[in-house]
Each structure stands twice: as C-alpha cells, then as structure tokens.
Amino acid sequence: MNKPTYTIAVTGLNATDNPGPGLAVIRALKAAKSFDVNIIGLSYETLEPGIYMRDFVDKVYQMPYPAAGQEMLVKRLAYINKAQKIDFLFPNFDAELYNFIKMQKRLEEELNIKMFLPSMEQFEARHKVNLYEFGIKNDIKVPKARSIYSSNEIQSFSGQLGFPLVVKGKFYDAKIAYNNDQAAQHFDKISEQWGLPILLQEFIHGSEVNVCGVGDGKGKLIGAVPMRKLYITDKGKAWAGVSIDDEMLLAITKKMVKKTKWQGSFEMEFIKTVDDEYYLLEINPRFPAWCYLAVGAGQNQVEALVNMGMGKKVSAFTTYKVGTLFIRYSNDLIVDIKEFEKISTIGEL
C-alpha cells in the first residue's frame, strides 16, 4: 500500500540561541514512516536560518506578524494554499497560537487546512498568569505566583514570595531576582519586549525536568518522554538533555491529560526538589525545540499528531528508550545574498 504524501506548513524556523521548534518538528516529519512530506516553511523574520536550509524546506513564505490580526492571517494562508494546497499546519510559537486556535475551524472549512491544537479554554487555563489556579484545579503543585502591571507592586509581593524570586514574561523569558531593585530591572526589560502582565513567581530549588507529550483530546495520553536538562544556556534553554526513567513525572503528565482532556502537543516544565516533589513551572501548548529527542527515544509524537489531525486511528506509545541524549550545536550556513533579497522583497523563496 502506497504511503500518502502530505504538504505540511511549519512555523518556528528560528534556529538561534533561543530556538523555535520548527526545525525539530520538520526533522520528525521527515522521519515519519506512515507518510511522506513536502515542507512549506512559514517565517516572520528574514534571517530565520530555517528559511535557507534547503534540505529541510521545499518552499518558504513570509507571514504577517500575529498582531496584524486573524483576517490578515487567513488572507495570507489563502494565497499560499492556492499555490501549495496545504494539508496540515504546525504553528510553533506561543505568540501566534491564539490566532491559529481561533481560526482553526475556519481554516479547515474554507481552505481544507487541518491542525490539531488545544482548545481556547485549554490554552487560556495554562497561561502563566493562570497556572497557579490550574494547579489547584488539577491537583498539581505549582509555585506561588502573582501577576503585576507595575514595578511599584514588586515590593509588596516580594515580601510574600521571598527572595530569590523569578520574574517572567507573558510569553517568553524568565529572570531570577535577588532583591527588589533587580526585580524592577527585569520587569522593565521583559515588559518592554513582551508586554504586560509580568509574573512574579516563588523560586523553587531543585533540578529541571521536562516532558514532551501529546494528548488525543479525549483524555488519553498518546505519548510522553521525560527529559532532564544537562546544559542550560544563559537564556534558560536546554542545549543538551537526556531522556529519563521517571514514573512519578509520567503519572503527573497522564493525570493532566486525563483531567483536562488535552488536545495536541505540549511541554510541561517542572522543578524536582531534593524531597522528590514536583512543581509545575509552565505548560507550553506546542512541541518544544527539543522534541526530536522523543523521536530518537522511539516516539515520533509529531507523526502521531499529524495522523490524528488527518482523522486516522493512532495507538498510544507505551515505551521509550531511557538514556537517549540530544546535544544542540551551532553551525555556519552559507547563503547567497540573492536568496535573502528575494525573501525580503517578495516574501517567497
């Protein structure tokens, strides 16, 4: 029986020191055994490395920024779809997911572009500003946190949370502060880039462990691979990690998916204390940049998600290989200036 060939569009091509998940998702798609792929890259910046990696993408289109709104998004995708006939789309940035979730039904009905995303209720419930209440509702430990809109609020809340504390942006970025002045500096810098509110969060001592997973939208965990960070950049990003055997972490993940009926991919970030307590720091409603580790460990969750989105029956993964490492690396990509000029001027390459 011949395998189908899908045309799949992918965002998040920024393979920098703060990498997007796009290239890892593309690698997983190319490793899929149940279908073949043509990859359409969707970029926001002209210097996203994935644009020029011809082994990864067959065609690239510039996209309007999320702030341009949903109508601009649909209009641009309609133009791209007329030429490419996209079967499935992977939005990989937190900041763009709101628009894509809102437009999921419309994109499928009008353009026949399928996605497999969390519901808007799920997306909003796991927001950093709502995470503490999410933890209470789903019986998961979460550090105490407060949302603030002015640096003048820091002093009153820092007295409740204690130092050190973590200053977090609405979408990205997190800095540790050891006093009020330092917290105010982090507030100014992060809010300037990502807007308000800013989150002040209790600092929990321990080691960082994450889970990359997929839920079927009905309460079933399709796949999950836990990872411990081995090397962390100054931006807090994992530059190396290893798959671990952690039954408690998997039990917490399974509970979250069952209680919320989570649909689609996710990353759960935890701190594991010396007393073996797990505190949930974040839930990212998409695949993480390290998701190719799951493929190396025996779970191609990206392939499973596409098949679910295309209406195919998918069996849950039951095992993965413990002790599989990923090590990220930097490389120099040589590009003809004419390619840069083309994507910059006409928005296609």
Side-chain angles (χ1 to χ4, degrees):
M1 184 176 178
N2 293 330
K3 294 187 293 184
T5 298
Y6 298 136
T7 297
I8 299 181
V10 181
T11 72
L13 307 180
N14 62 326
T16 61
D17 59 343
N18 186 10
L23 293 183
V25 167
I26 292 170
R27 290 183 74 189
L29 289 170
K30 288 182 173 292
K33 293 182 172 60
S34 58
F35 54 79
D36 293 321
V37 290
N38 295 316
I39 300 295
I40 307 300
L42 304 178
S43 66
Y44 293 99
E45 302 283 348
T46 55
L47 286 176
E48 293 179 20
I51 295 171
Y52 309 100
M53 300 175 72
R54 309 313 300 171
D55 291 341
F56 282 74
V57 296
D58 299 295
K59 181 84 174 181
V60 181
Y61 293 86
Q62 287 284 89
M63 292 289 287
Y65 287 108
Q70 295 164 19
E71 292 304 319
M72 285 292 292
L73 171 66
V74 174
K75 184 177 179 180
R76 182 59 172 164
L77 285 174
Y79 168 82
I80 299 169
N81 194 57
K82 187 175 181 180
Q84 301 299 331
K85 291 184 170 47
I86 298 169
D87 297 301
F88 196 88
L89 193 150
F90 271 98
N92 288 306
F93 286 133
D94 293 359
E96 67 184 354
L97 276 169
Y98 179 88
N99 285 343
F100 277 106
I101 291 172
K102 277 285 189 181
M103 304 306 294
Q104 183 169 1
K105 185 176 180 181
R106 182 177 171 186
L107 290 178
E108 182 167 357
E109 291 177 349
E110 295 183 10
L111 303 179
N112 200 30
I113 297 175
K114 294 180 173 60
M115 295 182 285
F116 200 73
L117 302 174
S119 67
M120 185 55 67
E121 182 182 0
Q122 292 167 341
F123 178 75
E124 295 290 350
R126 42 61 45 194
H127 254 305
K128 294 176 185 178
V129 296
N130 300 324
L131 192 64
Y132 189 69
E133 289 74 20
F134 178 94
I136 294 173
K137 182 177 180 180
N138 294 290
D139 191 28
I140 299 173
K141 291 181 179 179
V142 177
K144 296 176 183 177
R146 296 289 185 274
S147 299
I148 62 172
Y149 291 83
S150 168
S151 58
N152 295 329
E153 300 177 77
I154 291 174
Q155 189 166 356
S156 60
F157 287 127
S158 65
Q160 300 173 26
L161 300 174
F163 285 106
L165 57 77
V166 184
V167 184
K168 288 188 171 184
K170 183 178 181 179
F171 294 114
Y172 303 104
D173 216 344
K175 305 287 187 184
I176 298 174
Y178 294 89
N179 54 55
N180 288 323
D181 289 340
Q182 196 173 39
Q185 291 172 8
H186 294 331
F187 177 96
D188 292 339
K189 185 175 181 179
I190 295 174
S191 62
E192 182 179 356
Q193 186 171 6
W194 300 112
L196 297 172
I198 293 295
L199 194 72
L200 300 182
Q201 190 176 69
E202 175 189 13
F203 182 84
I204 303 294
H205 293 273
S207 58
E208 295 188 42
V209 289
N210 294 8
V211 180
C212 176
V214 174
D216 71 347
K218 300 175 183 177
K220 186 177 181 180
L221 181 65
I222 296 299
V225 173
M227 178 271 290
R228 179 167 59 85
K229 294 180 180 181
L230 297 178
Y231 186 88
I232 302 172
T233 69
D234 58 355
K235 293 183 181 296
K237 302 302 176 181
W239 208 252
V242 59
S243 60
I244 58 175
D245 182 10
D246 195 319
E247 292 184 6
M248 181 61 71
L249 196 56
L250 290 173
I252 296 171
T253 303
K254 191 172 184 178
K255 177 170 64 176
M256 186 282 288
V257 170
K258 183 177 181 180
K259 284 198 168 191
T260 64
K261 292 183 170 56
W262 187 272
Q263 177 168 292
S265 56
F266 62 86
E267 177 192 26
M268 299 179 75
E269 301 184 21
F270 292 87
I271 289 290
K272 180 181 179 181
T273 71
V274 293
D275 297 320
D276 288 338
E277 292 183 308
Y278 294 82
Y279 284 84
L280 177 63
L281 300 182
E282 292 184 19
I283 299 180
N284 296 311
R286 37 79 185 164
F287 282 117
W290 58 272
C291 67
Y292 194 68
L293 174 65
V295 180
Q299 293 190 11
N300 196 331
Q301 299 173 8
V302 173
E303 178 182 7
L305 187 143
V306 171
N307 282 327
M308 285 190 290
M310 299 304 290
K312 298 184 181 297
K313 188 175 181 180
V314 173
S315 299
F317 295 102
T318 57
T319 61
Y320 63 92
K321 185 180 177 182
V322 175
T324 304
L325 276 76
F326 83 89
I327 302 171
R328 196 163 284 146
Y329 63 96
S330 299
N331 201 0
D332 295 327
L333 187 63
I334 304 303
V335 178
D336 193 311
I337 189 65
K338 292 179 181 178
E339 292 188 333
F340 174 78
E341 290 171 348
K342 189 175 180 181
I343 192 73
S344 299
T345 54
I346 68 172
E348 299 179 27
L349 184 62

